[in-house]
Amino acid sequence: MSPLARIDASYTPRFAEFAFEPGFTAAVDQHVAHLRERLAATCADLVPQPPDRESLADYALGFLDALTETGWREPVGHDYAVCRLTAISWLVKRHDLA
């Protein structure tokens, strides 16, 4: 299974939390913006271009590897990694990158 498909399957359910966790929603939005910037998915228009699937997959794989190396375990709440993974999932869903 591709890293984008794994993240999408695991973190799309977190979207339901957006309805009652405005802080989480704002944090994920910031992560989405950072990922777009990092992957250069920007343009002159007001609507950003979708990220390149391969670039996002490479980033996601590296991020997952780093989490594995540090022994990260998903917490009950929201930490940096949960926000970043949820942002990746949001980009995958929004731009049909799975």
Side-chain angles (χ1 to χ4, degrees):
M1 182 183 284
S2 78
L4 294 181
R6 284 188 311 186
I7 291 170
D8 186 46
S10 297
Y11 289 89
T12 295
R14 292 269 191 170
F15 295 176
E17 297 173 46
F18 293 166
F20 57 90
E21 291 281 348
F24 177 53
T25 306
V28 170
D29 184 58
Q30 291 298 310
H31 281 268
V32 167
H34 183 258
L35 285 167
R36 286 184 189 281
E37 182 179 308
R38 181 181 187 115
L39 299 173
T42 60
C43 66
D45 297 333
L46 292 176
V47 178
Q49 296 294 312
D52 175 70
R53 178 181 304 174
E54 190 170 313
S55 295
L56 185 60
D58 287 346
Y59 175 84
L61 185 58
F63 192 73
L64 290 171
D65 286 347
L67 291 176
T68 299
E69 288 175 13
T70 62
W72 178 80
R73 297 287 180 244
E74 185 174 350
V76 173
H78 312 112
D79 65 358
Y80 178 90
V82 167
C83 291
R84 183 61 62 139
L85 293 165
T86 304
I88 292 169
S89 181
W90 188 90
L91 286 167
V92 168
K93 283 289 188 221
R94 170 72 175 88
H95 298 292
D96 195 25
L97 300 174

